């Protein structure tokens, strides 16, 4: 095993995985060393704690409010590790993300990823949150190269913390308003080689998740793709008439909601134009959060509605361009982190809400159909670890200054981070890091 950390960062709020088998006590008590190091929330601390040689494992004990929690590290896995409580009936749980290359250990307080929104206040603007998302979310089936973007199904994504779904559909019978068939596609291709998959079946899975977890909301971006001569206007009528008419299940107002308004519902972001009849919805303001004029292949652009600020640079034609994609993704994380949420002074949705920040939507996805090295899984294998590293070591810095030296850096939100191939081989570390970045906002809410 390689060298252990000399940097320890303490953060809060993330989810757990089963702990790896602990090192036996006789194997660990070979060089006990008592230290007294205080680690404050959001602080980075450099220490001289390290093993005597690269083959050793460190047995670390962290104490918080009298409780002790043990971590044996490094582990023979790149995934995060749950700390073992040494106290009966512990009030706290912690997860560690260990970056071996940089000798850096990040600690998160553990939340349940299936219901991580329940600890946040109702009057929190949804755009202030750090939200994990997936790109072409249902493309987890056997498909053509570059069509498949996900390792796991939408239900598994939701259970593991994902709250933004990116959906592309093709109307099956656009000229017949009585027909509700919407085929799930990626570009001009179906998402499965074994037969068409449909939006209605996907929505049943989302409804089931929200019924089990009423504290949560799911933001759904919908866009028309595929083949044929269907129009955006036809798609908008199909969605309104057959899918999104129930206000108990859908939030379709053309504005960013507060969490309390959205709990238990799907929040619609529309990447399509409206039929004239829908332009009169909501007092003539339209229908759904407007992302119709979404800039193509952009490193940073704001939709004319002002509700969406997006990084969606996806034309990675050569593997060398992956570094450019990483740079654009990190720059957009910084934009989101600088924002400070305007918190009302009570727990309900405010009657006269202040202006909210836009959704910062940050696509980590990119591909080139003609180069196997630039297919979604290959790009994700480089991009996802780079973003985990950035979130653990550099997120919410100001000009290279660590957060403890720059308290005005903002709430440290990530915005909506839209990923490919999260959960591959059980690795949800990127999702855990994103959810964990809600900690600073949550602490502000608790202290207000």
């Amino acid at each position: 095993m390689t060298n252990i950390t000399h940097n320890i960062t303490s953060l809060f709020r993330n989810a757990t995985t089963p702990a790896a088998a602990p090192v036996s006590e006789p194997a660990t008590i070979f060089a006990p060393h008592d230290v007294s190091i205080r680690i404050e929330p959001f602080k980075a601390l450099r220490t001289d704690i390290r093993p005597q040689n690269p083959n050793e494992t460190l047995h670390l004990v962290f104490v918080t409010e009298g409780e002790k929690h043990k971590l044996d590290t490094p582990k023979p896995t790149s995934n995060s590790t749950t700390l073992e409580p040494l106290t009966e009936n512990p009030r706290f749980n912690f997860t560690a993300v260990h970056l071996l290359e940089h000798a850096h250990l990040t600690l998160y307080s553990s939340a349940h990823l299936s219901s991580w929104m329940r600890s946040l206040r109702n009057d929190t603007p949804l755009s202030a949150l750090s939200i994990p998302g997936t790109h072409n979310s249902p493309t987890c089936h056997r498909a053509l190269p570059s069509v498949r973007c996900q390792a796991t199904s939408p239900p598994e994504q939701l259970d593991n913390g994902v709250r933004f779904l990116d959906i592309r559909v093709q109307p099956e019978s656009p000229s017949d308003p009585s027909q509700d068939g919407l085929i799930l596609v990626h570009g001009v291709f179906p998402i499965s080689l074994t037969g068409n998959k449909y939006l209605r079946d996907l929505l049943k899975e989302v409804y089931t998740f929200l019924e089990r977890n009423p504290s949560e909301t799911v933001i759904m971006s919908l866009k028309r793709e595929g083949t044929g001569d269907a129009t955006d206007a036809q798609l908008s009528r199909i969605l309104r008439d057959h899918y999104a008419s129930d206000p108990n299940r859908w939030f379709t107002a053309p504005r960013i909601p507060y969490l309390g308004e959205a709990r238990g519902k799907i929040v619609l972001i529309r990447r399509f134009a409206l039929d004239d009849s829908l332009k009169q919805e909501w007092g003539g303001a339209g229908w759904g959060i407007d992302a119709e004029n979404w800039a193509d292949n952009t490193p940073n652009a704001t939709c004319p509605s002002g509700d969406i600020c997006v990084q969606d640079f996806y034309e990675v034609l050569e593997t060398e361009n992956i570094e450019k994609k990483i740079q654009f993704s990190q720059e957009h994380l910084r934009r989101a982190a600088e924002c400070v949420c305007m918190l009302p002074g009570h727990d309900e949705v405010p009657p006269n809400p202040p202006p909210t920040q836009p959704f910062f939507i940050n696509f980590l996805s990119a591909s080139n159909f003609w180069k196997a090295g630039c297919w979604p899984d290959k790009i994700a294998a480089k991009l996802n670890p780079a973003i985990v590293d950035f979130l653990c070591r550099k997120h919410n810095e100001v000009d290279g200054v660590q957060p403890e030296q720059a308290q005005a850096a903002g709430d440290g939100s990530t915005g909506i981070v839209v990923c490919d191939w999260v959960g591959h081989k059980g690795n949800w570390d990127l999702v855990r890091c994103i959810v964990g970045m809600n900690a600073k906002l949550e602490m502000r809410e608790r202290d207000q």
Side-chain angles (χ1 to χ4, degrees), residues 117 126 131-132 134 137 154 157-159 161-167 202-203 205-207 209-211 213 215-221 249-251 257 259 262-269 359 416:
M117 290 178 163
L126 211 55
I131 297 175
T134 49
S137 305
Q157 295 169 26
L158 294 172
D159 284 339
V162 169
R163 295 293 178 271
F164 173 95
L165 299 180
D166 171 38
I167 309 298
L202 171 62
L203 289 179
E205 296 173 336
V206 177
Y207 295 152
F209 170 79
L210 291 172
E211 288 166 1
N213 301 280
S215 62
E216 309 304 290
T217 184
V218 174
I219 303 167
M220 184 173 290
S221 168
R249 283 185 161 173
W250 287 80
F251 182 92
L259 182 55
R263 292 192 197 273
K265 301 177 184 180
I266 298 171
V267 176
L268 174 63
I269 293 179
F359 280 122
I416 299 173

Side-chain angles (χ1 to χ4, degrees), residues 251-366:
F251 182 92
T252 60
R255 62 175 175 82
I256 295 171
Y258 289 82
L259 182 55
E261 300 176 284
R263 292 192 197 273
K265 301 177 184 180
I266 298 171
V267 176
L268 174 63
I269 293 179
R270 61 172 181 86
R271 294 182 64 184
F272 52 84
L274 292 175
D275 182 73
D276 287 343
S277 63
L278 273 78
K279 294 177 183 178
Q280 304 308 312
E281 297 279 329
W282 295 98
W287 189 72
I289 298 172
D290 182 4
E292 174 187 348
N293 294 305
W294 183 299
D296 184 60
N297 197 40
T298 178
N300 177 34
T302 300
C303 292
S305 67
D307 289 332
I308 308 287
C309 181
V310 63
Q311 182 281 121
D312 191 18
F313 173 78
Y314 60 82
E315 287 188 355
V316 177
L317 303 180
E318 302 291 341
T319 54
E320 293 80 6
N321 290 342
I322 295 176
E323 291 301 319
K324 181 184 294 186
K325 176 66 178 181
I326 291 173
Q327 174 191 338
F328 291 155
S329 300
Q330 292 175 347
E331 289 172 353
H332 213 57
L333 288 171
R334 291 191 180 98
R335 295 183 191 102
E338 292 171 356
C339 293
V340 177
C341 174
M342 300 297 294
L343 292 175
H346 49 79
D347 291 329
E348 299 301 323
V349 176
N352 298 303
T356 59
Q357 65 205 59
F359 280 122
F360 286 88
I361 302 181
N362 194 352
F363 278 81
L364 306 189
S365 53

Side-chain angles (χ1 to χ4, degrees), residues 158-223:
L158 294 172
D159 284 339
N160 283 280
V162 169
R163 295 293 178 271
F164 173 95
L165 299 180
D166 171 38
I167 309 298
R168 322 293 176 93
V169 296
Q170 172 186 318
E172 192 170 39
S173 304
S175 60
D176 185 349
S178 68
Q179 299 298 310
D180 68 356
L182 291 175
I183 303 169
L184 299 172
V185 295
H186 180 179
V188 298
F189 300 108
I191 66 168
S192 172
L193 292 175
T194 60
N196 287 336
K197 307 295 180 182
Y198 289 88
L199 178 65
R200 183 168 294 283
D201 296 322
L202 171 62
L203 289 179
K204 289 178 182 177
E205 296 173 336
V206 177
Y207 295 152
T208 297
F209 170 79
L210 291 172
E211 288 166 1
R212 290 200 318 263
N213 301 280
S215 62
E216 309 304 290
T217 184
V218 174
I219 303 167
M220 184 173 290
S221 168
L222 277 162
K223 181 185 179 186

Side-chain angles (χ1 to χ4, degrees), residues 4-11 35-50 60 62 102-107 392-393 397 402-405:
I4 182 57
T5 82
H6 51 272
N7 290 315
I8 301 177
T9 301
S10 178
L11 296 173
V35 296
S36 180
I37 299 172
R38 183 176 180 83
I39 311 172
E40 298 290 345
F42 317 110
K43 307 293 184 181
L45 183 66
R46 186 175 296 274
T47 79
D48 60 358
I49 300 172
R50 63 187 65 203
L60 303 175
F62 297 87
H102 301 285
H104 192 284
L105 185 70
T106 302
L107 294 184
C392 287
R393 297 194 306 119
E397 288 182 353
Q402 290 288 351
E404 70 273 17
Q405 299 169 312

